[in-house]
Structures are given as structure tokens and as C-alpha cells.
Amino acid sequence: MDVLINLVLFAMMVATALAILRMRRLFAVVMLAGVFSLLSALLFVTLDAVDVAFTEAAVGAGISTVLMLGTMALTSREEKMPRKFSPLPLLVVCITGAVLIYGTLDMPSFGSAQSPAQTHVAAQYLERTPKDTGVPNVVTAILASYRGYDTFGETVVVFTAAVGVLILIGGFARRRDPEEGDAD
Amino acid sequence: MMFLIATIALFVGMCLVLARLYAGPSLYDRVLAANAFGTFTVMFIGVLGFLMERPEFLDIALLYALINFVGTIAVLKYFRYRAIGDTSPTPEGEPTSVGKLNDRGVRS
């Protein structure tokens, strides 16, 4: 049944991606990209990676949508039609996809007990975490306890980036205000 | 069994919302469809938690409801003011008259 749910979600993702390709109005594209991100978050949830799913939803459906809308406010709302067909981007996309698929061939099969993720230090962490930290969720314990300073540094980096983006967007909006009437 | 039927019903609803999202003639249709899809995400995670016998997924579904709400507010704010960051009134007039969009997405 898991497989069936995954198949339905993947079908919806493919349909959304095709709709994004065909759309010329960028506002609709932003909406569809948000829905695409929600769908991939659902996929992560069915794969039992709830924390990854939440990051995907917060970044993909939340912050990215807002940032893309902010960009649209500063630039154009329509996608320009390309004048002629250029094969280079298609070639780059196809080669990248082929390389990525080639890269998955070496990976252990899904859920395999012999994969390095299962046989390395993970078992020790699963055993030691409740004793060492007393936190019930192992992922949370590793992020916030074993790698506490690392996580703190990451938080500082993300916070700095957010402040920088806010300063940039706010500054541009104020500078553009005088000619707001005839922009676009 | 009950949760399985609920999951199937949710999938049907998602497909209907996606169809409106792809076809939707006006931008408001699309905003509403995206918001409804977020609500479907919340419900799907909740139902999936019970389906997989892990009801603690319900807490996560609540967080998705928050994200969905804030995202929709941001989109509608963009509609109203045509900017996300600074919406203080411009010297020559109210921002509400500057950025209003009609339903084709063109500024009136």
C-alpha cells in the first residue's frame, strides 16, 4: 500500500511539473511550485523522513514562494517566449539526469539492512542516545545534543542570510517607490 | 479500513484541486486551489499517521497548517500591495491604489 501511495504522489508531481512547463504566467508558476514542494513533502512523510519533509515544506512551500513573489514584484510577471528552439539546455538537463540515475545504480536497495547507514555507527547511536541525553527522538538528540555547536553555527548562518535578504529586498522597494506608477 | 477509504477520498479531492490549479482561469482560483491543497496536505499527514499506526504525526500536521496559513497571507499581501517587504504609503498616495490587481493579474 505504501507503494500505491507513493505512485499516486509521484503521478501528481509529474502532472504538476508538466503544468509548470506549459505555464507562461509566472504567478501561476509560483503557486504550482509551492504545491509541487508540498507534494514532495508528502512523499518524504510516507518515506518516514518527517523532519526532512518539514524542512521541505517550510523552505519550498513557505519561504521560496514568498521570495519568488518578492522577485516578481521587482521584475516581470510574464515569461518571455524563446525566439527559437535551443538544444543546449535540453542536452544539459538530459546529461545531468542520466548522471544522477547512473549515480543511484551503486546505492544499496531501499530499506536494505546491509547498507552502510545501517551497519556503521548508527546502531551505536540508537543504543547510546537514551542513556546519554534522555531525548526520546534520536535525530533531535544528535542535532541538538551531540552536534549542538554545529547546529548553533548553522542557525547563525541561516539567520544572517535571512537578515541580508530582508535588507536587500527592503532597500530595493524603497528606492523604486518614486517611479512605481509607470514601472512594469 | 476506515482510514484507507479516507486516504482514497483525500486523493480524489487532491486531484480535483490540482485540476482547478492547472486550469483556473483567474489568479484567485489558483490562490484558493493552492491553499486548499495545503489543507489537503495537513489532512493527509494526519490520516497517514493513523493509517501507519503512528498517531504522533498529528502534531506535524498542525505545523503544516501554520505554514499554509502564513503562506496564503503572504500571497494575498502581494496581491494587495504588489510588494512583500515594505508596504508603507508612498509619498504620492496610498499603496492600496498603487498595487491593486484585477482578476487577470494586470494592474488596474
Side-chain angles (χ1 to χ4, degrees):
Chain A
M1 200 194 36
D2 264 9
V3 178
L4 214 62
I5 291 178
N6 283 351
L7 276 181
V8 174
L9 288 176
F10 265 122
M12 285 183 188
M13 279 176 86
V14 169
T16 312
L18 290 178
I20 287 178
L21 272 182
R22 286 190 51 243
M23 215 73 83
R24 290 284 164 233
R25 307 246 303 271
L26 289 180
F27 187 87
V29 169
V30 171
M31 293 285 97
L32 279 168
V35 167
F36 187 84
S37 164
L38 280 178
L39 277 169
S40 51
L42 280 182
L43 260 180
F44 287 135
V45 170
T46 57
L47 288 175
D48 224 0
V50 187
D51 43 345
V52 182
F54 190 69
T55 312
E56 171 67 37
V59 173
I63 296 296
S64 299
T65 307
V66 172
L67 285 184
M68 282 195 274
L69 283 178
T71 313
M72 269 168 59
L74 298 178
T75 56
S76 154
R77 214 177 284 126
E78 290 277 332
E79 181 182 349
K80 284 198 191 76
M81 286 295 287
R83 275 199 210 89
K84 59 179 170 47
F85 176 75
S86 56
L88 187 64
L90 184 66
L91 195 71
V92 168
V93 167
C94 286
I95 288 177
T96 312
V99 167
L100 286 176
I101 290 173
Y102 175 73
T104 62
L105 292 181
D106 271 353
M107 284 168 74
S109 60
F110 177 66
S112 156
Q114 305 305 318
S115 67
Q118 311 285 354
T119 56
H120 216 44
V121 295
Q124 290 177 36
Y125 272 114
L126 284 176
E127 197 180 315
R128 278 174 42 195
T129 303
K131 269 199 313 251
D132 284 359
T133 63
V135 179
N137 187 327
V138 179
V139 176
T140 310
I142 289 176
L143 278 180
S145 176
Y146 291 115
R147 299 187 195 154
Y149 287 115
D150 191 30
T151 307
F152 180 65
E154 283 170 15
T155 317
V156 169
V157 168
V158 172
F159 178 74
T160 315
V163 169
V165 167
L166 278 184
I167 289 172
L168 281 177
I169 289 179
F172 271 122
R174 222 165 291 128
R175 225 171 296 148
R176 277 175 55 96
D177 266 351
E179 77 247 330
E180 188 78 301
D182 53 4
D184 205 2
Chain B
M1 191 62 201
M2 191 174 65
F3 294 120
L4 192 64
I5 294 172
T7 311
I8 294 168
L10 280 179
F11 273 144
V12 173
M14 278 180 181
C15 289
L16 292 176
V17 165
L18 283 182
R20 177 49 66 201
L21 192 67
Y22 303 154
S26 79
L27 293 181
Y28 295 107
D29 286 330
R30 294 209 164 97
V31 175
L32 196 58
N35 189 20
F37 196 86
T39 312
F40 271 114
T41 311
V42 174
M43 289 192 283
F44 184 77
I45 292 174
V47 169
L48 196 73
F50 287 105
L51 192 69
M52 293 167 140
E53 281 153 13
R54 298 186 54 186
E56 66 264 22
F57 278 13
L58 212 54
D59 301 348
I60 300 153
L62 283 180
L63 274 176
Y64 278 78
L66 282 180
I67 288 187
N68 191 23
F69 177 70
V70 173
T72 309
I73 293 283
V75 170
L76 292 178
K77 193 178 166 194
Y78 171 79
F79 259 136
R80 191 88 164 85
Y81 298 109
R82 210 177 155 267
I84 295 288
D86 187 8
T87 54
S88 55
T90 49
E92 64 264 32
E94 291 288 308
T96 54
S97 63
V98 174
K100 253 189 165 170
L101 304 171
N102 61 20
D103 65 349
R104 307 269 316 144
V106 183
R107 235 171 335 126
S108 49

